[in-house]
Amino acid sequence: MRPFFSKFTMPSLKYLSAYSEQTRQQVAQLIEQNKLGEVLNKRYPAAHEIRTDKALYQYVQDLKSEFLRNAEPINKVTFDNKIHVIHHALGLHTTISRVQGGKLKAKREIRVATLFKQVPLEFLRMITIHELAHVREKEHDKAFYKLCSYMEPNYHQYEFDLRLYLTHTDLAGARLWGAASPPNIVTP
């Protein structure tokens, strides 16, 4: 009888460390059978079309106006190539306070790792909702996750699938979704 983790050990599943042993074993089995990428591609067949900071800003503002109308405004939203998953960050929310004319002004920013330019919309939605929830709830507590689930009922499933994708990317060394191909332009 061969060992269950013949190629992959539990440290390979670092993004899934908080999940049950049974869940990690099921994921390890998919990895061993070389089917993890296939499962993710089947569940999420295409990447989103949001490629620019301007489009990302508009996407976040639309979510904010739908779910957090009375929250403080978000002044800046960008894709950031300095955010790396290895630092346990997929996105960042910051509040920058400045003194202007004797008044203290706060500006709120959301930064999303550039990695998320080429993923399914569900993953981008999960990240942006997570960062938006921090506008109202600062800590990762019950109220925070309740707000995330209110804004996206499938929040926890998308988070799990995103962790599967990060695991796949670590092990395979390749992304599943490339840049969207440009539309065919016919010139007269």
Side-chain angles (χ1 to χ4, degrees):
M1 181 174 173
R2 66 184 180 144
F4 186 77
F5 294 101
S6 59
K7 291 182 189 175
F8 306 99
T9 60
M10 278 303 194
S12 299
L13 302 177
K14 63 185 175 189
Y15 299 110
L16 303 170
S17 62
Y19 291 89
S20 71
E21 178 71 25
Q22 180 183 9
T23 299
R24 290 194 314 262
Q25 285 180 356
Q26 289 172 343
V27 172
Q29 189 173 17
L30 286 172
I31 292 167
E32 195 171 299
Q33 296 169 352
N34 202 26
K35 290 187 177 182
L36 184 57
E38 182 182 320
V39 167
L40 288 168
N41 263 325
K42 197 175 285 185
R43 192 172 291 160
Y44 306 102
H48 63 78
E49 300 289 329
I50 300 168
R51 298 283 185 262
T52 65
D53 290 343
K54 184 177 180 180
L56 180 62
Y57 177 83
Q58 187 58 53
Y59 179 72
V60 170
Q61 290 300 353
D62 290 346
L63 287 172
K64 183 186 172 298
S65 66
E66 183 178 350
F67 297 109
L68 300 172
R69 273 182 235 122
N70 298 328
E72 297 292 323
I74 305 295
N75 302 91
K76 184 177 181 180
V77 181
T78 62
F79 285 110
D80 190 339
N81 63 359
K82 294 178 181 145
I83 299 174
H84 298 287
V85 175
I86 55 174
H87 298 296
H88 303 289
L90 305 174
L92 295 172
H93 62 284
T94 57
T95 302
I96 301 167
S97 298
R98 294 186 182 105
V99 176
Q100 291 180 338
K103 290 185 178 181
L104 187 64
K105 298 228 175 181
K107 290 196 172 204
R108 286 166 182 72
E109 296 181 359
I110 292 177
R111 296 177 181 273
V112 176
T114 305
L115 163 75
F116 296 103
K117 276 188 176 183
Q118 298 179 4
V119 296
L121 185 60
E122 293 87 349
F123 294 176
L124 180 65
R125 182 176 174 90
M126 184 243 127
I127 295 296
T128 55
I129 280 177
H130 182 99
E131 299 309 328
L132 271 174
H134 280 300
V135 171
R136 186 156 297 153
E137 300 291 339
K138 303 301 180 212
E139 301 297 323
H140 290 122
D141 56 13
K142 189 174 183 177
F144 174 84
Y145 286 107
K146 185 176 180 182
L147 179 58
C148 288
S149 293
Y150 166 74
M151 291 192 286
E152 174 49 64
N154 294 319
Y155 176 84
H156 294 290
Q157 181 65 52
Y158 294 157
E159 180 184 17
F160 177 73
D161 290 345
L162 174 59
R163 290 174 180 278
L164 290 178
Y165 172 61
L166 294 173
T167 299
H168 170 80
T169 304
D170 265 8
L171 296 173
R175 296 182 180 172
L176 292 174
W177 303 277
S181 55
N184 292 334
I185 300 173
V186 178
T187 54

